[in-house]
Amino acid sequence: MHVLDNLAARGWRCADLTLRSLARHLQGQVIEKITGPLGLKAHSSTNEEKHNFVLKTPKGSRDFHPRQMAIREKVFGTIVNCFKRHGAQTIDTPVFELKETLTEKYGEEYKLIYNLEDQGGELLSLRYDLTVPFARYLVMNKITNFKCYHIGKVYRRDHPSIRRGRYREFYQCDFDIAGKYDPMIPDAECMKIVHEILTELQLGDFLIKVNDRRILEGIFEVCGVPGNKFQKVCSCVDKLDKISWEDVKNEMVGENGLAPEAADQIGAYVRLNGGISLIEQLLQDPRLSQNKLALEGLEDIKMLFRYLRLFGVTDNVFIDLSLARGLDYYTGVIYEAVLLPNQGEMQFQQQNDHAEELLNVGSVAGGGRYDELVGMFDAKDRKVPCVGLSIGIERIFAVMEQKAEISEEKIRTTDTQILVAAAQKNFLEERMKLISDLWSAGIKAEMLYKKDPKLLSQLHYCEETGIPLVAIVGEQELNDGVVKLRIVSTREEINVPRGNLIEEIKKRSS
């Protein structure tokens, strides 16, 4: 009311307006200038400004349309069913953690963590993976034995490549076993799970590469790598599947100050790969066999292969001494699954300019043993040995989407079992009654949102969307107490008593 006070102080009087009404009048003029005559917020942007506005998803993210989501749901269903088959429970954790929770857990990868602004006195970061939150969860809840799966979005400030399934926001599907058990039994089961999932998804031929961080550390020791350079050299070795050995060596020597002779010795080891015979060969190596860490790793890998043979997965597994898994928290066995292009994909690649980038999606699953991570959160440094795996859902989806494109497979985007239709006008109420009964019985049903749709339009809708059955109601059916059931694929029609309809739909849907 400062406007009223000012007017009164100056002795203003008005025959037509009281001081109070004048104040309201002036206040209304101000409001109208700001919001417009109808009290609506004025839009300052011109048509030209709207035209220049870029409407897009943030870099490294994407929308998914129904056809893509149908593929994703199939993949998620296969993965979750496998995890449950192996006795896992499920948990969830926040998408952000205290910044200090994630600090010093990822080595060089820490640069890819999204840090948030201070909100309410807490420094937060978006979770980089699901493994560190899982370790924090174990300590907070005083859990020492646990088998669980965890599916959720994670975030990485990386250079995205959408065609290769590489994003800044993406899902991870993790399976972890925590607790003290006899060596290599949980590890073998984790690799068996990877094998089962990739086989069930029918992605084509794949290989599971396996190594042990202790073998790598033993190699570094016998080759004369200083302890303070282990992690940097390990990160260099991990790039060997992407760049040549010469480039890796140059990075070791030029950027990390490693002696050229040491780099050459490392190269002689990390370029080795093969089956169980390679382990026997390395156990006879006069240098590695005398190194405690390397010997432990080699013996455990030998035991792992024995268990994998019992699980029937050794044909897809081979040892790759260049596999390093860049994350710092791995302490023992590590593994990574990669897809192998088949002949059909190679032909598609020759016909499509962008196919090469899409086909070379890299690893689609990985994991390993991390026995020290939980202890990093425990005030008394109590360790809980853990082993786990992570399925690269986005990369798998990229491959499955491409396969659907190659095969021109028709993918249903709904699970609708039946369409409730009418052959005549003025049957909206009967359609609504019938579909309500179907919904109550758990039947997935639809009807068109028109009062009197043409029967041909209703049948075309079923063919376009893949709905297999149509329940047709009309005057004759109503009088006879039946529903005409049409099988869309064969166009066969049968009359089903109204009381038997639900049972008939369930039988035909199964």
Side-chain angles (χ1 to χ4, degrees):
M1 294 302 294
H2 60 278
V3 176
L4 180 63
D5 295 337
N6 289 339
L7 290 172
R10 295 179 183 182
W12 277 50
R13 294 291 183 269
C14 181
D16 297 323
L17 294 172
T18 64
L19 289 176
R20 192 174 301 276
S21 65
L22 178 60
R24 284 200 297 267
H25 174 71
L26 293 174
Q27 189 177 30
Q29 286 184 324
V30 173
I31 292 173
E32 186 170 324
K33 283 186 177 181
I34 295 173
T35 65
L38 298 179
L40 301 174
K41 184 176 181 181
H43 293 281
S44 60
S45 61
T46 65
N47 288 336
E48 184 178 351
E49 288 173 333
K50 288 181 180 178
H51 181 73
N52 292 333
F53 179 73
V54 178
L55 199 62
K56 63 185 286 289
T57 57
K59 189 176 181 180
S61 65
R62 66 185 297 200
D63 294 324
F64 295 92
H65 57 65
R67 187 173 184 272
Q68 293 170 316
M69 287 303 299
I71 298 174
R72 288 173 72 86
E73 287 181 354
K74 177 183 177 182
V75 175
F76 277 125
T78 299
I79 292 170
V80 169
N81 286 339
C82 183
F83 289 166
K84 288 183 176 181
R85 186 163 63 241
H86 286 262
Q89 305 174 68
T90 187
I91 64 168
D92 195 13
T93 62
V95 297
F96 46 79
E97 296 276 350
L98 293 178
K99 183 178 179 180
E100 61 190 77
T101 300
L102 305 183
T103 302
E104 297 181 359
K105 307 299 189 302
Y106 299 106
E108 290 293 316
E109 303 294 317
Y110 81 92
K111 300 173 185 175
L112 304 182
I113 293 175
Y114 273 108
N115 295 316
L116 306 179
E117 290 186 5
D118 182 4
Q119 297 289 336
E122 290 185 332
L123 294 177
L124 304 174
S125 300
L126 294 177
R127 61 187 178 194
Y128 177 88
D129 66 4
L130 300 179
T131 305
V132 171
F134 173 68
R136 188 264 306 154
Y137 175 90
L138 292 178
V139 175
M140 284 187 63
N141 293 279
K142 298 180 173 59
I143 298 172
T144 55
N145 291 79
F146 197 33
K147 183 193 292 186
C148 82
Y149 70 91
H150 187 185
I151 296 176
K153 287 185 175 181
V154 299
Y155 300 85
R156 298 185 183 178
R157 195 160 46 87
D158 204 349
H159 297 293
S161 175
I162 302 300
R163 292 185 182 277
R164 295 183 60 197
R166 191 181 185 94
Y167 301 91
R168 288 178 168 177
E169 176 196 61
F170 57 95
Y171 273 98
Q172 280 192 339
C173 304
D174 282 17
F175 178 99
D176 293 275
I177 301 173
K180 295 181 179 179
Y181 303 102
D182 287 340
M184 295 299 103
I185 299 175
D187 309 66
E189 183 172 9
C190 285
M191 294 182 64
K192 170 67 171 175
I193 290 170
V194 171
H195 187 277
E196 285 182 3
I197 289 172
L198 297 184
T199 301
E200 288 178 41
L201 290 176
Q202 298 180 353
L203 298 172
D205 294 334
F206 62 89
L207 287 175
I208 302 176
K209 301 186 291 185
V210 62
N211 198 8
D212 194 298
R213 288 292 282 262
R214 293 168 296 179
I215 296 176
L216 276 177
E217 291 186 23
I219 290 172
F220 296 161
E221 282 187 5
V222 301
C223 292
V225 178
N228 62 349
K229 294 185 183 295
F230 270 26
Q231 290 301 335
K232 290 184 177 180
V233 173
C234 192
S235 296
C236 294
V237 170
D238 199 39
K239 300 174 184 177
L240 199 50
D241 63 335
K242 303 177 183 69
I243 60 177
S244 68
W245 164 247
E246 288 304 317
D247 290 334
V248 170
K249 178 182 175 181
N250 290 338
E251 186 175 332
M252 285 182 179
V253 176
E255 297 181 23
N256 296 302
L258 192 66
E261 312 81 61
D264 287 333
Q265 293 179 48
I266 292 171
Y269 283 111
V270 298
R271 285 181 285 179
L272 295 175
N273 57 68
I276 190 64
S277 59
L278 177 59
I279 295 299
E280 299 293 350
Q281 174 187 330
L282 294 173
L283 283 170
Q284 302 302 316
D285 185 288
R287 303 170 73 191
L288 287 185
S289 61
Q290 299 300 313
N291 183 275
K292 182 176 181 296
L293 278 176
L295 188 60
E296 288 177 0
L298 291 168
E299 292 290 355
D300 276 353
I301 290 284
K302 186 176 180 179
M303 186 186 304
L304 175 68
F305 264 73
R306 186 161 69 247
Y307 295 153
L308 290 176
R309 190 176 299 109
L310 296 173
F311 282 153
V313 300
T314 49
D315 288 345
N316 298 80
V317 181
F318 82 110
I319 299 159
D320 182 351
L321 293 187
S322 71
L323 179 64
R325 301 290 295 169
L327 301 177
D328 279 5
Y329 52 64
Y330 287 119
T331 59
V333 168
I334 49 178
Y335 36 86
E336 187 171 272
V338 295
L339 300 182
L340 304 177
N342 59 37
Q343 190 61 37
E345 289 171 336
M346 295 300 292
Q347 292 174 357
F348 179 80
Q349 178 174 319
Q350 294 170 0
Q351 301 168 6
N352 192 310
D353 293 339
H354 302 293
E356 182 175 2
E357 186 182 8
L358 180 56
L359 288 170
N360 299 324
V361 295
S363 67
V364 293
R369 176 158 289 279
Y370 53 102
D371 290 345
E372 310 291 333
L373 184 58
V374 175
M376 295 175 70
F377 293 108
D378 194 291
K380 298 182 179 179
D381 197 31
R382 287 171 291 205
K383 293 179 174 57
V384 177
C386 296
V387 64
L389 64 96
S390 183
I391 303 295
I393 183 74
E394 307 298 346
R395 292 181 174 183
I396 286 176
F397 170 64
V399 173
M400 293 194 69
E401 187 177 11
Q402 179 209 339
K403 286 180 176 292
E405 181 182 345
I406 295 173
S407 65
E408 298 181 350
E409 176 186 359
K410 189 172 183 179
I411 297 171
R412 285 196 64 192
T413 58
T414 73
D415 292 334
T416 304
Q417 297 166 272
I418 192 165
L419 180 82
V420 176
Q424 300 162 284
K425 292 184 178 181
N426 302 319
F427 271 83
L428 174 61
E429 291 186 5
E430 293 302 325
R431 285 191 291 144
M432 295 179 79
K433 288 177 185 176
L434 178 55
I435 200 170
S436 180
D437 290 342
L438 297 181
W439 287 336
S440 297
I443 301 295
K444 301 180 182 73
E446 287 186 60
M447 70 177 197
L448 298 191
Y449 300 137
K450 292 188 74 173
K451 187 175 181 180
D452 295 311
K454 294 180 180 179
L455 180 60
L456 190 59
S457 298
Q458 297 170 89
L459 299 180
H460 280 168
Y461 179 76
C462 292
E463 292 177 354
E464 290 171 2
T465 58
I467 298 174
L469 300 172
V470 186
I472 303 174
V473 293
E475 186 174 350
Q476 187 64 49
E477 288 80 16
L478 196 61
N479 291 335
D480 294 343
V482 300
V483 173
K484 185 175 290 182
L485 189 65
R486 180 184 175 97
I487 294 85
V488 175
S489 60
T490 64
R491 301 187 178 182
E492 174 191 1
E493 293 181 347
I494 58 173
N495 287 329
V496 179
R498 178 71 176 259
N500 297 343
L501 181 61
I502 292 171
E503 180 183 349
E504 185 70 22
I505 294 171
K506 289 182 177 178
K507 181 176 72 174
R508 290 183 179 274
S509 297
S510 64

